Amino acid sequence: MTKINFRSAKFLISAPSLKQCPPENGAEVAFAGRSNAGKSSALNTLTQNHKLARTSKTPGCTQLINFFQLQSSPDLRLVDLPGYGYAKVPKAMQEKWQKHLTQYLNERQSLKGLVLVTDIRHPLQEFDKMMIDWAVQSEMSLHTLLNKSDKLSRGAAQNTLLKFRRELKNSGVDNLVSAQVFSSTTGEGVDQLAQQLGMWLQSDQPRALI
Ligand SMILES: Nc1nc2c(ncn2[C@@H]2O[C@H](COP(=O)(O)OP(=O)(O)OP(=O)(O)O)[C@@H](O)[C@H]2O)c(=O)[nH]1
Ligand SMILES: [Mg+2]
């Protein structure tokens, strides 16, 4: 398997809904998670391009489905999804996003895997559990980033990871769901993430069968 050059990432298109997404050729991996968990920052760290995805201290920064192409190929994509669970967004708007997000997740054929970005200090919030349940039901591979590990000591971060992995094992979902420690600030875990994404993006299996 060749190494994907994540530094080659370039903005492709922003889509307000599934209908406006680019053609479903090739493969893509999407970053999902609660608002402010650090999805856009993780993408920027992975691609070593801090201008790629917009980040902000204010939750609800990413409001569209943003596509980035890799290695000059529109058939190889990274996707930054809008965050969920941001209470200050008007309810009607939240419901609209939720609808588009659900539709994207359920129907997008080129989706090969989902990166769930969580804050290591508050992993497994209600929405994260919902996402994991959805992945298991849909047989979609999901890789969890326990992000912002720079906010914890190394020991505490490792303990959280072990506990998280134990829970996955106890629930019998560790074949589909994996986890790692990550920090966009220090770059911890970026090679591990690149390896996981490389595997998904280069798999020729249809979705749900990787
Ligand atoms: N300390 C620390 N802060 C981080 C890390 N990753 C992201 N942040 C900060 O968390 C805030 C939110 O980051 P974003 O990347 O914009 O989060 P997001 O998940 O894309 O948020 P939405 O687009 O609103 O859904 C920003 O202030 C980032 O600087 C990290 O690894 N460590
Ligand atoms: Mg964002």
Side-chain angles (χ1 to χ4, degrees):
M1 200 173 291
T2 54
K3 251 193 173 169
I4 289 191
N5 176 12
F6 288 101
R7 287 178 70 176
S8 63
K10 292 227 160 52
F11 175 75
L12 184 62
I13 197 172
S14 288
S17 71
L18 184 65
K19 267 212 311 260
Q20 282 103 329
C21 287
E24 290 176 285
N25 305 328
E28 70 199 36
V29 169
F31 284 58
R34 285 169 57 83
S35 222
N36 222 35
K39 299 173 290 299
S40 302
S41 305
L43 275 163
N44 290 349
T45 298
L46 173 73
T47 57
Q48 294 179 43
N49 179 354
H50 291 274
K51 290 191 182 130
L52 190 75
R54 268 194 58 209
T55 65
S56 167
K57 278 196 173 56
T58 315
C61 176
T62 310
Q63 303 201 358
L64 298 163
I65 306 175
N66 294 308
F67 289 85
F68 305 94
Q69 68 172 32
L70 295 165
Q71 299 177 166
S72 307
S73 165
D75 288 353
L76 215 50
R77 297 175 297 272
L78 297 172
V79 185
D80 190 11
L81 294 173
Y84 46 71
Y86 180 49
K88 281 192 186 152
V89 171
K91 208 168 167 66
M93 202 166 168
Q94 258 194 53
E95 280 168 9
K96 208 164 143 196
W97 288 359
Q98 191 98 18
K99 200 182 110 210
H100 290 315
L101 198 63
T102 309
Q103 209 172 18
Y104 169 85
L105 291 173
N106 284 330
E107 296 179 27
R108 187 79 175 158
Q109 289 308 312
S110 43
L111 182 62
K112 302 286 179 152
L114 199 60
V115 176
L116 176 64
V117 184
T118 67
D119 185 323
I120 194 163
R121 295 164 298 177
H122 322 281
L124 278 184
Q125 304 265 308
E126 196 187 334
F127 277 109
D128 303 326
K129 286 187 191 146
M130 267 171 48
M131 226 42 198
I132 291 176
D133 288 346
W134 171 84
V136 171
Q137 272 163 28
S138 318
E139 293 181 43
M140 173 65 67
S141 303
L142 183 147
H143 186 65
T144 312
L145 296 187
L146 301 173
N147 189 32
K148 308 195 185 182
S149 67
D150 54 286
K151 296 280 190 187
L152 293 184
S153 69
R154 184 164 288 272
Q158 283 306 315
N159 279 342
T160 306
L161 176 65
L162 290 178
K163 188 163 163 249
F164 192 90
R165 284 191 174 149
R166 205 171 318 125
E167 280 173 34
L168 295 177
K169 197 156 190 204
N170 289 342
S171 329
V173 299
D174 54 324
N175 58 332
L176 212 56
V177 184
S178 51
Q180 69 160 97
V181 167
F182 190 84
S183 165
S184 291
T185 306
T186 64
E188 182 181 10
V190 70
D191 291 343
Q192 200 180 337
L193 175 64
Q195 202 180 357
Q196 177 67 72
L197 299 193
M199 237 160 62
W200 282 343
L201 288 169
Q202 294 178 86
S203 151
D204 45 20
Q205 298 276 353
R207 74 172 262 171
L209 288 175
I210 296 178

